[in-house]
Amino acid sequence: MISPWDRWYTTSCCLCCHVRTGTIILGIWYMLINAVVLLILLSALNDPVQYHHLTSSDLGTDMDVMDDANMCIAAAISLLMILICGMATYGAYKQHAAWIIPFFCYQIFDFALNTLVAISVLVYPNTIQDYLQQLPGTFPYKEDLMSTNNMCLVLAVLLFIGCILAFKAYLIACVWNCYRYVSGRSGTEVLVYVTTNDTTVLLPPYEEAVAIPPKDPPPQYTLA
């Protein structure tokens, strides 16, 4: 009987590329996004006056969006994310399964957070209207959104979050299949030849073959 994990296991992902290639592309993409965020945060910390002026003029408020402490925490998180994504990219490229685990755990955590957001919208639908009221007056289409029926807004938000969750679940499956592929290659046995129609002879892994003690040489042939 095939287990559910084996039923969903595949070595190909979107665009018909290998799961290793997909994981490498995903890791590089996440690194680029977090690198851009880190550069923005570092530039804001370097020139806080200009940053507060831009945020207050764009949002139409005099309140500071983030103070220096929060920006330092966000920069540290972005730096940590760059490290985790770099580990996943290196692990998929060099076929080290243990290096992919931190990135996979981050994906599970991110998926759980988005699921909680969807549940909170479903349980407390009025939070959408409260969020729209907190937006600045210069936000585009704010009045049109607030005049829309609350049930329609809830359905639209749930549909949007559902699409995001489906896409994130697919990416999680790709990274998990990459981990299984890489870890499987390091521990699989190699087929040598077939002796009969239903019997195969397998070569043991390299570590076990090295650990096997050498056999004694056969006795020398002597003439009678």
Side-chain angles (χ1 to χ4, degrees), residues 1 15 23 26-27 33 43 45 54 66 69 100-101 108 111 132-133 137 142 148 150 152 161-162 164 171 195 209:
M1 182 177 179
L15 301 179
T23 303
L26 184 62
I33 293 177
S43 62
L45 288 173
L54 290 175
M66 295 177 62
I100 307 176
I101 296 177
I108 296 295
F111 184 84
L132 292 176
Q133 291 178 358
K142 177 183 177 181
T148 307
N150 191 28
C152 295
I161 297 177
I164 294 177
L171 295 181
T195 56

Side-chain angles (χ1 to χ4, degrees), residues 10-147:
T10 179
T11 57
S12 62
C13 59
C14 58
L15 301 179
C16 299
C17 62
H18 199 273
V19 288
R20 282 185 59 219
T21 307
T23 303
I24 293 173
I25 295 174
L26 184 62
I28 294 175
W29 174 251
Y30 271 79
M31 277 195 298
L32 291 176
I33 293 177
N34 287 278
V36 171
V37 174
L38 182 61
L39 289 176
I40 294 175
L41 293 174
L42 291 179
S43 62
L45 288 173
N46 188 31
D47 192 2
V49 177
Q50 183 68 20
Y51 167 76
H52 292 311
H53 174 71
L54 290 175
T55 53
S56 60
S57 60
D58 292 339
L59 298 178
T61 178
D62 295 333
M63 297 178 61
D64 296 336
V65 179
M66 295 177 62
D67 55 9
D68 293 340
N70 291 331
M71 284 193 293
C72 290
I73 295 174
I77 294 175
S78 299
L79 186 61
L80 179 62
M81 285 302 307
I82 293 175
L83 178 62
I84 292 175
C85 298
M87 290 174 60
T89 304
Y90 177 81
Y93 179 73
K94 293 294 184 179
Q95 299 190 17
H96 298 312
W99 291 67
I100 307 176
I101 296 177
F103 183 70
F104 178 75
C105 295
Y106 159 73
Q107 286 184 301
I108 296 295
F109 179 74
D110 182 61
F111 184 84
L113 286 181
N114 286 272
T115 304
L116 290 177
V117 171
I119 294 174
S120 64
V121 171
L122 185 61
V123 175
Y124 303 103
N126 293 328
T127 55
I128 300 178
Q129 291 289 345
D130 297 337
Y131 177 76
L132 292 176
Q133 291 178 358
Q134 294 177 1
L135 293 176
T138 57
F139 189 82
Y141 305 107
K142 177 183 177 181
E143 298 297 332
D144 296 334
L145 291 175
M146 292 188 65
S147 60

